[in-house]
């Protein structure tokens, strides 16, 4: 399917205001080091990692502080040179308590990372490569924080036809991937080439939305002469969702309940590729990431290279603090991000953005009855019936919602965005999904 400018895209979806102009041209800058860091050891999808340090232990920047707690788990590393202050339960950005390692930074340290020599990736077996990526603490940096090595452990009977790099960054406000692609295009291409070779991909492509043509140009230039294709895509939400990106670039459907690998594809985020290159070329594990700090309530927006574990409060202060009329601070993008319950909680590996909003943007409009306009159906890229799902949820007919494939909903929020009656469709759908999960768990327990 082709969209505006005759560029590829997927069917349906929405186009919320991009609001990227505040930060899209701001070069990456470093967040200054602060005195204290908190690293929850379950930031990723999967089993929490196991702490391997003790209170009072001195650490250098990049030292391992927690080992993977299983295959679907990763290592964690100290973001600073300092001392373990405490290991215990701390509140995370979502308000939930989690096992966390607190580290006090050494006030006299220059916090320089002592780079190692480049690893000989070529001579590694695929298994060794997967183990190394797990040890690097790498997760997808797009927000979901899925351990990268799990995707690279490709079974022999599932060859990878296409390795697809996701440079869409389709959420409004966010520009962290954009700046990495522009300023570190070489590293993105280098990381991509490393992974593509190790997973045996037959072809490699990078998809970037057309509101980032400077990133398209930078990547094309960095990839010149290589085997990586860079494709500009129509700007549309939620094109950054794996299945939508595949549909946009190849016209192929990933069936419900299946993974991209089931149709020969692996999708990764472009920022992750730059971090992979950093790890294999100089031994830098995932101890920092780029965070877009933006939104109408932020005084000085920025794209900040931020150590994992930095208190969100310190990031906000570095950006000039919040306006007095701030009503909400969100982690991630405005469509799929979560409201931050405690700004003393830390920046996580999946923190692509810290956005602050005033009452103007957060006041929920008055809700009206459904006028059966079908805009929510036209918005849903999975061809679900959000209006029907919303009504079933309100009537607590959650079992019936299964017949309408409620569990396939990726909670992108496009339907809620499109609804002129301001019906909170995605919230209602989440309630139904949760009720069905609980029902399934009760069934297993019986
Ligand atoms: S939130 Fe779910 S139902 Fe609504 S548009 Fe996204 S995928 Fe479709
Ligand atoms: S968009 Fe809103 S008003 Fe229109 S059919 Fe869907 S739920 Fe009803």
């Amino acid at each position: 399917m082709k969209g505006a400018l005759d560029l590829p895209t997927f069917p349906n979806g929405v186009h919320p205001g991009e609001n990227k102009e505040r930060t899209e041209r701001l070069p990456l800058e470093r967040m200054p080091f602060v005195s204290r860091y908190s690293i929850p050891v379950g930031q990723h999808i999967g089993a929490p990692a196991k702490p391997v340090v003790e209170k009072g232990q001195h650490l250098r920047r990049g030292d391992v502080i927690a080992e993977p707690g299983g295959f679907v788990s990763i290592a964690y590393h100290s973001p600073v040179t300092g001392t373990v202050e405490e290991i215990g339960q701390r509140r995370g950005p979502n308000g939930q308590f989690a096992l966390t390692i607190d580290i006090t930074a050494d006030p006299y340290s220059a916090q320089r990372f002592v780079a190692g020599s480049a690893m000989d990736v070529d001579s590694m077996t695929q298994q060794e490569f997967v183990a190394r990526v797990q040890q690097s603490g790498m997760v997808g940096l797009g927000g979901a924080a899925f351990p990268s090595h799990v995707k690279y452990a490709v079974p022999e009977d599932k060859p990878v036809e296409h390795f697809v790099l996701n440079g869409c960054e389709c959420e409004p406000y966010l520009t962290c991937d954009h700046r990495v692609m522009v300023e570190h295009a070489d590293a993105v291409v280098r990381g991509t080439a490393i992974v593509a070779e190790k997973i045996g991909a037959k072809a490699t492509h990078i998809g970037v939305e057309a509101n980032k043509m400077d990133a398209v140009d930078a990547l094309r230039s960095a990839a010149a002469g290589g085997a990586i294709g860079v494709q500009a895509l129509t700007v549309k939400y939620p094109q950054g969702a794996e299945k939508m990106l595949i549909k946009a670039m190849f016209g192929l459907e990933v069936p419900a309940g299946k993974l991209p690998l089931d149709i020969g594809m692996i999708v990764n985020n472009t920022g992750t590729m730059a971090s992979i290159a950093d790890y294999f070329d100089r031994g830098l594990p995932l101890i920092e990431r780029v965070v877009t700090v933006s939104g109408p309530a932020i005084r000085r927006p920025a794209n900040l290279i931020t150590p994992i574990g930095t208190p969100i409060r310190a990031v906000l202060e570095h950006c000039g603090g919040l306006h007095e009329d701030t009503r909400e601070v969100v982690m991630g993008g405005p469509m799929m991000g979560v409201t931050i319950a405690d700004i003393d909680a830390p920046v996580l590996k999946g923190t692509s953005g810290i956005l602050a909003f005033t009452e103007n943007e957060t006041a929920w409009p008055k809700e009206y009855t459904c006028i059966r306009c079908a805009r929510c159906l036209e918005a849903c890229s999975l061809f679900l019936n959000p209006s029907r799902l919303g009504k079933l949820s309100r009537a607590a007919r959650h079992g019936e919602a299964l017949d309408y494939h409620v569990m396939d909903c990726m909670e992108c929020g496009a339907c809620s965005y499109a609804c002129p009656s301001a019906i909170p469709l995605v919230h209602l759908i989440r309630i139904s999904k949760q009720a069905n999960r609980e029902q399934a768990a009760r069934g297993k327990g019986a």
Side-chain angles (χ1 to χ4, degrees), residues 393-435:
S393 177
R394 279 236 158 99
R397 287 155 63 188
H398 303 304
E400 264 180 75
L402 292 174
D403 298 336
Y404 290 86
H405 308 284
V406 68
M407 302 311 280
D408 292 341
C409 168
M410 60 179 157
E411 301 176 23
C412 69
C415 50
S416 299
Y417 175 81
C419 178
S421 293
I423 299 171
L425 294 165
V426 68
H427 297 286
L428 292 167
I429 291 169
R430 274 193 200 118
I431 290 168
S432 246
K433 287 177 74 176
Q434 184 58 25

Side-chain angles (χ1 to χ4, degrees), residues 368-379 385-388 390-391 414-425:
Y368 293 91
T369 51
C370 174
I371 54 171
R372 309 183 73 171
C373 65
R375 285 196 204 165
C376 55
L377 280 88
E378 286 161 14
N385 184 338
S387 165
R388 183 84 193 139
K391 284 176 187 156
C415 50
S416 299
Y417 175 81
C419 178
S421 293
I423 299 171
L425 294 165

Side-chain angles (χ1 to χ4, degrees), residues 119-202:
M119 291 178 222
D120 182 5
V121 195
D122 292 344
S123 65
M124 283 179 201
T125 64
Q126 201 226 359
Q127 274 179 330
E128 287 166 345
F129 174 73
V130 167
R132 284 281 190 179
V133 176
Q134 184 178 28
Q135 277 303 320
S136 75
M138 204 63 62
V139 294
L141 297 178
F146 186 76
S148 301
H149 69 280
V150 177
K151 287 192 176 181
Y152 306 155
V154 183
E156 271 181 23
D157 61 341
K158 288 198 171 167
V160 182
E161 296 293 331
H162 299 283
F163 183 36
V164 185
L165 274 303
N166 184 351
C168 290
E169 201 165 51
C170 60
E171 277 265 12
Y173 291 97
L174 300 185
T175 55
C176 49
D177 285 346
H178 183 175
R179 292 313 307 175
V180 170
M181 288 188 282
V182 169
E183 296 181 47
H184 297 286
D186 287 342
V188 173
V189 167
R190 164 94 181 119
T192 302
I194 290 172
V195 178
E197 202 273 318
K198 284 297 166 194
I199 60 176
K202 295 192 181 132

Side-chain angles (χ1 to χ4, degrees), residues 307-368:
I308 307 299
T310 305
I312 292 164
R313 183 186 295 279
V315 173
L316 294 172
E317 282 170 3
H318 177 70
C319 291
L322 295 169
H323 285 291
E324 290 73 26
D325 55 350
T326 302
R327 289 297 298 268
E328 188 178 15
V329 183
V330 169
M331 183 176 273
M335 300 294 283
M336 291 191 76
V338 292
T339 301
I340 293 172
D342 178 0
I343 61 168
D344 287 312
V347 166
L348 308 177
K349 294 187 180 197
T351 307
S352 49
I354 297 174
L355 308 178
F357 298 101
T358 67
E359 177 135 22
N360 285 342
E361 304 84 41
T362 52
W364 189 262
K366 181 172 163 28
E367 185 182 332
Y368 293 91

Side-chain angles (χ1 to χ4, degrees), residues 207-220:
V208 183
E209 289 195 340
N211 55 358
K212 297 179 266 293
M213 288 310 290
D214 50 351
V216 171
D217 293 342
L219 290 168
R220 281 185 178 150

